[in-house]
């Protein structure tokens, strides 16, 4: 995929003075519910009205969406409120129905992005469309799979493209429903700075109380927009009840978010920033120097263990180090999560070094 400015023309053409906002219920439930929420979102910052028509549910037996009937309701939303419409498509039949009903924006869900077969089928069904197509990240943190899906659409001559960052599934317990792994989204932006990227705080958090903070982080990281599940009666929603906000709360969130500029030309700002960046560069070099020293010491331990035929992994010692470093880190303002991740990586590199020596 060439790194072309054209990828974001559809977004720039909207001429917004705020991030793109896609909002609406997780699922279309009834015509009354769809219309009520749409009317409450009319005349706000919302650009596209979202509603799931076909719902991918983890386990059977839950509400699976109203199906094609809901597309008529979305058409009515557009007619009555002027809001553009958006829904998820997961196969060729969905695409054909959505196009027939003139839905303006289609997204590929996280469970579909993982399957190149299904993405290819959707891409072929959409060949040459002038609708906006957004690709949610796959459920697993795999950047190639995510980009691969975008490439399949690009190859099918779909030019109005973008991605949605909705977080990643993990086995480990976390305060998030799907952990954000911001680094992945940052890497994607670095590689394709012109590909619009929208944040989905609803599916990242699974909890309406955390929507604001995640949205603010996304804007701080230069995301182009937000997709936020919105329902007039969230508690009684037929799907994702815990994470939906009311239209009123959505408006409040949009008002309170601080929208950052990408940069500033002011000389004072530039001078201060380059000063701080110079300090960071020095510290980063020191970090590499220190880590390299640590690995040399580790090599020495490897030699010693080899002579005495002792195992590389010493769990007790390792647990002691971890415990002590987490406490030390906390006293210096570093989170437990970060210290743990960092020391696991350092430990792994140490083991690799020692293994090399043991096996030489
Ligand atoms: C959704 O946006 O309603 C949805 C099902 O999301 P995801 O594909 O991210 O789980
Ligand atoms: Mn949902």
């Amino acid at each position: 995929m060439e790194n072309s400015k054209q990828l974001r023309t559809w977004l720039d053409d909207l001429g917004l003075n705020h991030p793109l906002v896609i909002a609406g219920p997780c699922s279309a439930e009834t015509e009354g519910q769809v219309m009520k929420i749409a009317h409450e979102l009319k005349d706000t910052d919302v650009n596209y009205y979202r509603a799931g028509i076909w719902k991918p549910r983890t386990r059977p037996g839950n509400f699976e969406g109203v199906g094609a009937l809901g597309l008529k309701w979305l058409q009515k939303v557009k007619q009555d409120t002027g809001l553009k419409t958006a829904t998820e498509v997961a196969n060729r039949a969905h695409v054909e129905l959505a196009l027939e009903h003139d839905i303006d924006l289609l997204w590929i869900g996280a469970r579909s992005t993982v399957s190149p077969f299904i993405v290819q089928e959707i891409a072929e069904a959409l060949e040459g469309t002038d609708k906006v197509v957004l690709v949610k990240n796959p459920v697993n943190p795999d950047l190639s799979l995510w980009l691969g899906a975008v490439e399949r659409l690009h190859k099918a001559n779909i030019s109005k493209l973008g991605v949605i960052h909705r977080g990643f599934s993990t086995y480990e317990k976390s305060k998030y429903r799907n952990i954000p792994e911001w680094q992945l989204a940052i890497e994607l932006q670095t590689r394709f700075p012109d590909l619009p990227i929208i944040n989905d705080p609803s599916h990242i958090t699974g909890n309406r109380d955390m929507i604001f903070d995640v949205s603010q982080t996304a804007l701080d990281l230069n995301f182009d927009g937000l997709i936020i599940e919105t329902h007039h009666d969230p508690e009684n929603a037929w799907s994702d009840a815990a994470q939906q906000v009311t239209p009123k709360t959505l408006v409040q969130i949009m008002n309170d978010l601080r929208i950052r500029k990408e940069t500033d030309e002011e000389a004072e700002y530039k001078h201060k920033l380059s000063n701080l960046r110079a300090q960071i560069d020095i510290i980063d070099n020191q970090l590499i120097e220190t880590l390299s020293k640590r690995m040399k010491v580790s090599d020495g331990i490897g030699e010693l263990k080899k002579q005495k035929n002792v195992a590389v992994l010493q769990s007790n010692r390792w647990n002691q180090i971890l415990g002590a470093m987490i406490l030390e880190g906390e006293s210096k303002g570093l989170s437990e999560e970060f210290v743990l991740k960092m020391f696991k990586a350092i430990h792994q590199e140490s083991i690799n070094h020692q293994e090399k020596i043991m096996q030489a």
Side-chain angles (χ1 to χ4, degrees):
M1 191 169 58
E2 85 274 20
N3 196 357
S4 125
K5 282 256 180 245
Q6 279 163 4
L7 287 173
R8 56 179 311 110
T9 319
W10 67 271
L11 183 59
D12 294 339
D13 285 351
L14 292 174
L16 304 175
N17 60 356
H18 59 76
L20 181 81
V21 187
I22 306 171
C26 176
S27 307
E29 299 165 3
T30 63
E31 182 173 349
Q33 171 247 17
V34 167
M35 297 312 300
K36 183 169 174 55
I37 301 167
H39 278 286
E40 289 183 29
L41 292 176
K42 195 184 162 204
D43 302 324
T44 65
D45 280 350
V46 174
N47 306 105
Y48 285 88
Y49 184 80
R50 66 150 284 158
I53 300 296
W54 301 281
K55 298 305 298 177
R57 305 313 297 269
T58 304
R59 304 190 56 187
N62 293 313
F63 174 59
E64 300 208 324
V66 291
L69 173 65
L71 296 170
K72 297 240 178 325
W73 305 340
L74 285 179
Q75 276 188 307
K76 193 158 188 294
V77 165
K78 187 153 48 172
Q79 254 170 29
D80 290 9
T81 66
L83 286 166
K84 291 193 279 289
T85 53
T87 200
E88 172 176 348
V89 287
N91 59 37
R92 173 179 291 276
H94 294 170
V95 169
E96 286 168 0
L97 282 162
L99 293 180
E100 256 170 51
H101 289 79
D102 202 27
I103 302 298
D104 302 291
L105 181 157
L106 312 175
W107 79 81
I108 297 181
R111 293 163 192 76
S112 302
T113 309
V114 291
S115 165
F117 287 128
I118 209 66
V119 173
Q120 190 57 37
E121 176 181 319
I122 295 171
E124 284 167 20
L126 281 167
E127 174 90 39
T129 186
D130 65 347
K131 305 293 183 194
V132 177
V133 183
L134 304 181
V135 183
K136 285 206 173 194
N137 66 253
V139 282
N140 53 324
D142 183 336
L143 188 54
S144 307
L145 204 51
W146 196 1
L147 283 171
V150 179
E151 271 163 0
R152 284 176 197 278
L153 295 165
H154 191 62
K155 281 205 169 124
N157 297 316
I158 300 160
S159 56
K160 300 181 178 175
L161 287 173
V163 293
I164 301 176
H165 170 233
R166 54 77 83 188
F168 304 90
S169 154
T170 52
Y171 178 64
E172 275 169 48
K173 264 208 158 36
S174 141
K175 65 175 177 172
Y176 299 104
R177 178 176 176 192
N178 292 291
I179 54 167
E181 300 282 19
W182 294 104
Q183 278 305 326
L184 239 116
I186 292 169
E187 193 177 331
L188 188 136
Q189 282 195 64
T190 313
R191 284 172 56 183
F192 296 96
D194 296 312
L195 184 64
I197 180 164
I198 315 295
N199 184 257
D200 175 349
S202 308
H203 291 91
I204 288 178
T205 62
N207 172 355
R208 61 182 137 269
D209 297 336
M210 293 162 67
I211 302 274
F212 179 84
D213 286 348
V214 168
S215 302
Q216 185 64 64
T217 302
L219 295 191
D220 293 346
L221 295 173
N222 283 324
F223 275 61
D224 298 289
L226 299 165
I227 174 167
I228 300 184
E229 287 188 343
T230 312
H231 194 290
H232 67 289
D233 182 10
E235 266 113 83
N236 292 307
W238 297 3
S239 58
D240 288 351
Q243 70 196 31
Q244 303 203 57
V245 296
T246 60
K248 200 168 149 223
T249 305
L250 179 81
V251 168
Q252 191 64 46
I253 290 174
M254 296 314 301
N255 276 339
D256 293 347
L257 284 172
R258 293 176 303 281
I259 298 163
R260 316 275 195 209
K261 294 175 283 185
E262 202 160 323
T263 185
D264 191 297
E265 289 308 312
E266 196 222 332
E268 166 94 353
Y269 157 83
K270 285 192 148 178
H271 177 74
K272 279 191 182 151
L273 188 67
S274 76
N275 197 310
L276 291 168
R277 283 183 171 160
Q279 291 181 46
I280 292 272
D281 289 348
I282 293 169
I283 296 170
D284 282 349
N285 277 307
Q286 286 169 345
L287 282 174
I288 293 289
E289 198 54 46
T290 305
L291 287 170
S292 154
K293 263 191 212 150
R294 191 192 191 280
M295 291 310 151
K296 290 208 177 87
V297 175
S298 194
D299 287 346
I301 295 179
E303 297 283 358
L304 211 58
K305 285 180 182 164
K306 186 176 182 181
Q307 279 169 24
K308 298 289 173 199
N309 202 24
V310 169
V312 164
L313 180 64
Q314 300 285 322
S315 302
N316 283 347
R317 160 85 179 138
W318 168 233
N319 282 331
Q320 264 173 17
I321 296 183
L322 258 191
M325 288 303 106
I326 286 172
L327 285 179
E328 184 66 18
E330 256 170 15
S331 76
K332 302 251 154 70
L334 302 174
S335 74
E336 175 172 343
E337 190 193 357
F338 169 67
V339 173
L340 207 61
K341 256 197 196 154
M342 179 177 66
F343 270 92
K344 275 189 185 166
I346 292 175
H347 189 225
Q348 186 59 57
E349 182 71 6
S350 265
I351 289 177
N352 295 349
H353 270 247
Q354 293 189 18
E355 273 295 306
K356 216 167 163 184
I357 288 167
M358 300 290 263
Q359 284 168 19

